């Protein structure tokens, strides 16, 4: 039996701010249980729902040397869907109404978390062969494994993998502060290790010291070796390219299943979507106060509202788009400028645009099920899960050809009768509008063709099967 421990800052069903939580919550279930014992460790945030906290049982606690003082570390556990979870409890660091907030405090929080997570392992009594780390929040774990923790017998041959879900976030602060908080010696704070452009960089530490690095699509694995997508670490990623590979994400086919989804009124499948899917559209139009018309081309967006997701393009052509025969439904929260611009368009085009500036799992499922098309014109996209959810619900993605969007959405080819969506290449608002209008034309003028696209979209397989196998191969190879 090979022991694998996922360490991450969020995971479904306990806490979620984005796709990372979906991955951490769904991938561990997909490994072959005969050969792999995969467990998950994350913080216990006070903002987790009470019913989730009620599932947790106290295991043990201790005081850990941290930043020149003794800091409490509580350990809790829970079992969900056959997966063993552990939680690190500390009410100072994991307070607040969201997992992340102030950058400086987040940095300290996750340095504490990385050290606490490793320190807790001997007490938990689970010795991983591999610790699988996710994003900058866990970047110091590979460093600690090669440093102070190496001295202990327990840790000596633990290997580490770092999966980069988003290179944009790196956990960067001045060297002096990170040195003091982490307790790592001067040796680590040079430009070939944790230092990057004079600051200390947690993600960089992970990239330098992990035994293997992955990211969440093939295209993103290539893109980040180039300056445009490399977020100033492209040189380092080029130098580690032999240890870096892309493994595309999947989604949980039980949670995202139009034939069983508890959040949607009219269930449907590949056979009956032509009749049933549109009933969800009518229901959503009514719920959101849009014109009820089953023929109207309805475009959905479910997203964090940040620059990454291409909303500058959407804002730029929104007036033009709203003069087409379309309805637009947005669900998201994030940067104020985008929240406000969508509120404005909702006010201006009340019967055609519905901006829902909040977080709602239920509404997200209803949007995936009800819309005709799903718009995701990202500036960059490591993988993207929303387009996979849209495909599964037969909601045709319109995407920019970058990262995982490029790898998962096959552009419609009207001559060959292939493709699962529509795409455009350049980060240009009118190129995007061109792709949307092409989709509109197929939808309005060639409905049978449109339905065949929906057919192919729903039949595409983005469950975890293939990708979980790739991770297993990598674990086997690393453990030897
Ligand atoms: P990212 O991780 O960059 O945010 P992904 O496409 O990988 O992008 O994952 C986003 C996940 O978050 C999807 O499961 C999507 O449905 C969900 N999501 C984003 N915003 C909201 C929201 N406001 N309400 C509900 N779910 C949301
Ligand atoms: C990040 C990326 C997104 C990816 C998700 C899960 O949040 O922005 O593209 O799908 O992680 O890997």
């Amino acid at each position: 039996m090979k022991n694998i421990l996922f360490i991450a800052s969020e995971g479904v069903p306990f806490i979620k701010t984005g796709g990372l939580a979906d991955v951490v919550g769904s991938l561990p279930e997909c490994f072959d249980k005969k050969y792999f014992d995969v467990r998950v460790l994350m913080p216990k945030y006070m903002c987790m729902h009470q019913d989730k906290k009620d599932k947790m049982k106290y295991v043990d606690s201790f005081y850990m040397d941290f930043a020149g003082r003794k800091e409490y570390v509580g350990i809790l556990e829970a079992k969900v869907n056959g997966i063993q979870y552990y939680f690190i409890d500390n009410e100072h660091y994991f307070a607040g109404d969201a997992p992340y907030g102030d950058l400086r405090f987040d940095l300290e929080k996750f340095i504490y978390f990385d050290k606490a997570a490793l320190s807790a392992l001997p007490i938990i009594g689970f010795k991983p062969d591999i610790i699988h780390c996710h994003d900058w929040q866990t970047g110091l774990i590979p460093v600690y494994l090669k440093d102070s923790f190496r001295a202990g017998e327990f840790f000596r041959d633990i290997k580490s993998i770092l999966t980069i879900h988003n290179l944009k976030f790196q956990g960067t602060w001045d060297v002096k502060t990170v040195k003091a908080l982490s307790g790592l010696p001067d040796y680590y704070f040079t430009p070939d290790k944790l230092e990057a452009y004079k600051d200390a960089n947690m993600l960089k530490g992970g990239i330098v010291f992990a035994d293997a690095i992955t990211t969440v699509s093939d295209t993103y694995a290539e893109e980040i070796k180039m300056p445009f997508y490399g977020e100033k670490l492209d040189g380092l990623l080029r130098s580690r390219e032999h240890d870096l590979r892309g493994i595309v994400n999947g989604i949980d086919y039980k949670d995202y299943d139009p034939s069983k989804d508890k959040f949607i009124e009219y269930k449907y499948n590949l056979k009956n979507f032509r009749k049933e899917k549109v009933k969800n559209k009518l229901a959503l139009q009514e719920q959101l106060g849009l014109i009820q018309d089953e023929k109207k081309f309805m475009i959905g967006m479910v997203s964090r509202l940040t620059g990454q997701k291409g909303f500058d393009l959407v804002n730029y052509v929104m007036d033009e788009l709203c003069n087409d025969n379309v309805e637009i439904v947005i669900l998201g929260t994030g940067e104020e400028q985008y929240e406000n611009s969508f509120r404005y368009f909702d006010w201006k085009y009340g019967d055609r645009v519905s901006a829902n500036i909040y977080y709602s799992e239920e509404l997200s499922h209803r949007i995936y099920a009800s819309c005709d098309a799903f718009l995701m014109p990202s500036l960059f996209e490591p993988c993207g899960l929303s387009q996979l959810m849209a495909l599964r619900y037969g909601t045709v993605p319109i995407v920019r050809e970058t990262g995982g969007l490029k790898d998962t959405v096959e552009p419609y080819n009207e001559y060959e009768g292939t493709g699962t969506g529509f795409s455009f290449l350049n980060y240009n608002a009118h190129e995007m509008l061109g792709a949307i209008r092409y989709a509109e034309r197929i939808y309005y003028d060639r409905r049978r063709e449109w339905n065949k696209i929906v057919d192919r979209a729903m039949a595409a397989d983005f469950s975890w099967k293939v990708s979980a196998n790739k991770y297993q191969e990598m674990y086997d190879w690393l453990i030897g």
Side-chain angles (χ1 to χ4, degrees), residues 296-308:
K296 258 196 200 306
F297 187 62
M298 187 191 257
I299 304 171
M301 285 177 265
V302 177
S303 183
R304 291 184 292 118
L305 302 180
T306 70
Q308 172 188 343

Side-chain angles (χ1 to χ4, degrees), residues 219-232:
T219 294
Y220 194 62
E222 291 305 313
E223 285 174 341
I224 56 178
K225 289 186 268 177
M226 294 181 280
F228 184 81
Y229 295 98
E231 305 290 348
K232 294 182 156 174

Side-chain angles (χ1 to χ4, degrees), residues 260-288:
K260 298 206 177 77
D261 193 320
K262 61 176 186 241
F263 295 123
I264 65 175
E265 275 169 66
Y266 304 96
K267 325 280 182 221
Y268 59 93
N269 56 34
L270 249 175
K271 289 205 192 78
N272 64 12
F273 75 84
R274 286 174 181 75
K275 274 213 176 107
E276 297 302 310
K277 181 169 164 47
V278 72
K279 295 182 185 167
N280 290 303
K281 171 151 83 174
L282 286 166
L284 188 66
Q285 286 169 331
E286 184 176 20
Q287 179 187 344
L288 301 178

